[in-house]
Amino acid sequence: MEADLLRRAARLLGDARRVVVLTGAGVSAESGVPTFRDALTGLWARFDAQRLATAEAFHADPDLVWGWYEWRRARVARAEPNPGHRAIAAIQTRVLDCTVITQNVDDLHERAGTRAPIHLHGSLFTPRCTAVPAHPATFGDTSGGPGQPHEGSRVPPPRCASCTALVRPGVVWFGEPLPETALTAAVEAAVACDLLLTVGTAGVVYPAAEIPQVAARSGATVIQVNPQPTPLDPVCAINLRGTAAQVLPALVAAAWGETDES
Ligand code: OAD
């Protein structure tokens, strides 16, 4: 990554009054959480994401799909936020108006200290009743912690305590709409911001991929952090090629001096 690009990005970030940080799976990669497209590895490799992350898949084989999400939840519970997550939390302490929007279903932003991240695709930690969304749902008898299912194993989902319908993961599946409140808040923040930092997203899943474009159309500067080119490159004023855990602490340090991270 060129030092000059980092300095330019840091100047823009340091001067911005309203900032949005949009993250994708890449921000959690250095915490050991596989990116979505790498998630179907090991024993899960024989499955197709479309077979696991849909309502149809859950109805056809709830134990298989619940087992996959329990495996992912256990893996995330063992992971720790990385310097990228912590740098994003640091940006939020330095910029008065800073909204963090994530496509990730993990809780690593929260554990790094980010306030109220908007979860566009739901969360691994908020299961819900398949029949009545308002019913409180739990993970069943896992004593408060995630199960530790073996990779590739089937786990029967718990039943709702109120109506006995199956409990499902609290994530957005392919073909499902995004939670309306989250999407509205994300779009409003994108329209109002003067700088949007997009980190670790392939920029191919809509409507999340629209958010940097909304910000750019509304006059914001968009900066991207990703080791690879993405379809968002042309929207971005600056593309910082590197990983979140490397680039973000350096960006914060260059914008405001030393960080807690450095
Ligand atoms: P992807 O797995 O599609 O893309 C991950 C991106 O992160 C790629 O562009 C990588 O180059 C980049 N990347 C990898 N390691 C990185 C690192 N250490 N630092 C920074 N970037 C890194 O993940 P998303 O774009 O988040 O949706 O995927 C979006 C959505 O697609 C997911 O939320 C999921 C999936 O369908 C749903 O489940 C609804």
Side-chain angles (χ1 to χ4, degrees):
M1 185 187 40
E2 288 174 42
D4 181 46
L5 282 185
L6 184 79
R7 270 195 300 275
R8 271 179 54 208
R11 233 182 347 261
L12 289 163
L13 181 61
D15 289 345
R17 300 172 66 93
R18 288 182 165 187
V19 171
V20 166
V21 184
L22 171 70
T23 68
V27 78
S28 296
E30 286 152 291
S31 293
V33 180
T35 61
F36 195 79
R37 272 147 251 296
D38 293 335
L40 298 167
T41 53
L43 291 176
W44 290 108
R46 66 183 189 276
F47 297 105
D48 171 352
Q50 300 281 353
R51 260 197 68 201
L52 292 171
T54 66
E56 293 73 26
F58 183 73
H59 291 306
D61 195 342
D63 298 9
L64 176 71
V65 173
W66 186 260
W68 185 50
Y69 280 96
E70 280 298 87
W71 175 74
R72 290 176 64 193
R73 186 166 70 97
R75 198 166 171 152
V76 163
R78 289 197 303 273
E80 293 296 333
N82 67 55
H85 294 107
R86 288 195 284 272
I88 291 168
I91 293 173
Q92 216 183 31
T93 65
R94 285 157 172 86
V95 180
L96 213 54
D97 187 339
C98 174
T99 305
V100 176
I101 305 168
T102 186
Q103 295 164 84
N104 298 344
V105 293
D106 64 47
D107 61 351
L108 296 175
H109 281 305
E110 288 89 334
R111 287 203 265 138
T114 289
R115 271 176 291 109
I118 297 173
H119 281 273
L120 285 180
H121 293 162
S123 160
L124 289 171
F125 299 92
T126 56
R128 61 175 196 265
C129 172
T130 47
V132 184
H135 280 166
T138 68
F139 287 108
D141 63 349
T142 55
S143 312
Q148 300 285 324
H150 293 299
E151 207 171 337
S153 70
R154 311 163 80 84
V155 180
R159 298 245 165 210
C160 172
S162 311
C163 72
T164 76
L166 287 179
V167 167
R168 59 161 280 179
V171 302
V172 175
W173 279 327
F174 289 109
E176 291 186 328
L178 270 56
E180 207 178 305
T181 319
L183 183 59
T184 304
V187 170
E188 282 175 5
V191 167
C193 74
D194 41 45
L195 185 140
L196 183 141
L197 190 59
T198 172
V199 182
T201 176
V204 292
V205 173
Y206 283 78
E210 185 75 21
I211 289 173
Q213 302 176 34
V214 167
R217 281 201 298 273
S218 306
T221 302
V222 180
I223 297 173
Q224 176 165 240
V225 177
N226 197 311
Q228 304 291 334
T230 78
L232 295 174
D233 286 12
V235 177
C236 299
I238 300 179
N239 285 292
L240 299 171
R241 298 263 185 256
T243 73
Q246 290 167 352
V247 174
L248 292 175
L251 184 63
V252 170
W256 292 289
E258 293 304 296
T259 70
D260 301 335
E261 217 29 71
S262 46

